[in-house]
Amino acid sequence: MHYCPNCRKKFREYRRKCPICGGPCRHNDNSTIFLIIGIGVLFAVLIGLIILLVTALPSPDTETTAPSESVTTLPTIPSESGTIPSSQPTEPSTVPTEPPTTAPTVPPSTAPSGIGMYTRAELEALDNKSFGYGPGPNRDYLNFRPEYAVGDQKRHEKYGANFIAPDNGNIYLTFDCGYEYYTTDSTGKKVPVTSMILDVLKEKNVKGVFFITMAYAKSEPDLVRRMINEGHAVGNHTNNHPVMPTLSIDEMEYEIMSLHDYVKENFGYTMNLFRFPTGEYSVRALAVVQNLGYKSVHWSFAYADYTPENQPDVKTSLQNVLNKSHSGAIYLLHAVSVTNATILGDAIDGFQEKGFKLELFQ
């Protein structure tokens, strides 16, 4: 294509001069093409900018749904005042796959975890060193509150532990029932020793606490019902009678709550008193018990009455029990002891003659 730069006349054939204005002709004029291309590029850039702006703006649907999607519901934990939110997720209530030999592998569906006064992290942070607990020094202490029980009470009372009751002039009788022992009465009939003890308590109008295991609850339901019906307290002595500080927190909870739920379901009775098997405890174990809504009940008097086939002398035992009486005493007596069943009535009379009241520990 040829053209005249003066009059812009275009010619298909080459001419030296423009026939209209007489100016020199030129060829290869691409300005129109360049103009069209330039306009197209600018238009494309403008369209791209518009698309970017539109996509960057939030849509109405996003604005209405985003807040609801960002809300997180916190787990809740029960408290005395109601249900409150927790800032930490609760641990799953499961028994570890390798429990100790003293505890069977049973899913503790009823074992609450991380409820009550302590979180799971707080329980795990507590010392789990095991403390054995015995009857203290072997000496007579008439009207004397033993130092070992008073000292442990001061150290651990914040965990709901009771090694000795307040100095209130009362004596509290408690009985451990891991299993039942049968003896022969004067007529030659075999009778459970616990029934003999219950007979004496009924005669004297005195109430006591009976700490039972799962085996006892299942094998002696009639005796458990009698305890409840006659106004005694039934306490939790664990499912399998393990040494508690050797267990994990989940296993401790299972040992307590499996028996708790069984007694509640089968006897309509809610337990709230706990005794450590063998008396061995740790600070962590005390806190676990408290966290489940229980008071732990230890003792300020005990003696070697726990072997049915090797019972202590009746006269010596009665003297021992009476000589070591003291205000706020918590007596641990084993319900398998024929000696205890024999001396119990005289012991109650002796306590009362000394001015003590026999009350139910609560």
Side-chain angles (χ1 to χ4, degrees):
M1 180 70 70
H2 304 272
Y3 74 102
C4 175
N6 293 325
C7 65
R8 298 293 179 179
K9 181 66 176 178
K10 296 181 180 181
F11 310 98
R12 289 185 179 274
E13 296 177 355
Y14 174 73
R15 299 188 181 190
R16 291 185 61 186
K17 293 184 179 181
C18 175
I20 298 175
C21 66
C25 291
R26 296 182 180 179
H27 59 87
N28 294 334
D29 180 15
N30 294 323
S31 59
T32 301
I33 297 174
F34 292 152
L35 179 61
I36 294 173
I37 292 174
I39 293 174
V41 171
L42 290 175
F43 183 77
V45 171
L46 181 61
I47 294 299
L49 291 175
I50 293 174
I51 293 174
L52 288 175
L53 289 174
V54 171
T55 55
L57 291 175
S59 66
D61 291 339
T62 304
E63 292 176 354
T64 57
T65 59
S68 62
E69 293 175 351
S70 63
V71 173
T72 302
T73 303
L74 292 176
T76 58
I77 56 175
S79 70
E80 294 181 357
S81 59
T83 302
I84 59 175
S86 170
S87 59
Q88 299 182 1
T90 56
E91 296 287 337
S93 298
T94 55
V95 168
T97 56
E98 298 181 0
T101 56
T102 54
T105 306
V106 180
S109 60
T110 56
S113 183
I115 67 172
M117 299 179 62
Y118 310 97
T119 64
R120 176 53 62 95
E122 289 171 336
L123 290 174
E124 291 175 345
L126 293 174
D127 188 5
N128 199 39
K129 177 184 177 182
S130 180
F131 292 93
Y133 196 74
N138 184 22
R139 69 177 194 179
D140 294 344
Y141 42 90
L142 181 63
N143 294 324
F144 175 78
R145 288 165 59 83
E147 294 98 335
Y148 75 94
V150 174
D152 285 338
Q153 182 63 36
K154 290 180 180 178
R155 279 187 288 272
H156 302 308
E157 61 185 352
K158 66 180 179 179
Y159 298 110
N162 297 270
F163 295 85
I164 191 169
D167 189 358
N168 53 14
N170 293 339
I171 286 178
Y172 305 91
L173 300 180
T174 70
F175 303 86
D176 281 6
C177 301
Y179 60 94
E180 190 55 61
Y181 181 73
Y182 285 75
T183 188
T184 304
D185 64 12
S186 58
T187 65
K189 180 182 178 181
K190 293 190 68 175
V191 294
V193 178
T194 303
S195 68
M196 299 168 60
I197 292 173
L198 288 169
D199 289 342
V200 175
L201 294 176
K202 184 176 182 179
E203 177 189 350
K204 298 296 183 180
N205 194 27
V206 171
K207 310 302 179 185
V209 184
F210 291 83
F211 290 96
I212 67 172
T213 61
M214 180 70 83
Y216 192 93
K218 290 183 175 181
S219 65
E220 306 296 336
D222 291 339
L223 287 174
V224 175
R225 291 189 184 94
R226 182 180 175 187
M227 296 169 189
I228 297 170
N229 293 337
E230 294 183 0
H232 302 290
V234 176
N236 194 322
H237 203 33
T238 72
N239 186 319
N240 297 286
H241 204 267
V243 177
M244 293 293 278
T246 66
L247 306 183
S248 69
I249 294 174
D250 284 329
E251 291 164 338
M252 290 183 194
E253 291 178 342
Y254 168 73
E255 285 293 327
I256 298 169
M257 294 306 298
S258 56
L259 177 59
H260 177 96
D261 290 341
Y262 181 86
V263 170
K264 186 173 182 179
E265 180 180 351
N266 290 274
F267 301 98
Y269 184 88
T270 301
M271 298 184 292
N272 64 354
L273 302 176
F274 177 82
R275 172 157 286 160
F276 282 90
T278 73
E280 294 186 57
Y281 68 95
S282 65
V283 172
R284 179 187 295 172
L286 290 173
V288 169
V289 171
Q290 185 184 34
N291 212 39
L292 296 176
Y294 274 80
K295 296 178 182 179
S296 57
V297 184
H298 304 259
W299 60 87
S300 59
F301 172 89
Y303 76 120
D305 62 342
Y306 39 79
T307 306
E309 297 79 13
N310 186 26
Q311 284 294 288
D313 177 71
V314 170
K315 183 178 179 179
T316 302
S317 297
L318 178 60
Q319 182 179 10
N320 184 31
V321 166
L322 291 176
N323 285 348
K324 294 182 180 179
S325 59
H326 51 278
S327 177
I330 300 176
Y331 274 73
L332 163 60
L333 303 171
H334 285 84
V336 295
S337 170
V338 176
T339 295
N340 285 341
T342 303
I343 69 173
L344 184 57
D346 291 334
I348 291 173
D349 292 341
F351 292 146
Q352 292 173 337
E353 289 173 2
K354 290 185 173 188
F356 295 112
K357 295 180 180 180
L358 286 107
E359 299 289 345
L360 175 64
F361 189 92
Q362 300 182 57

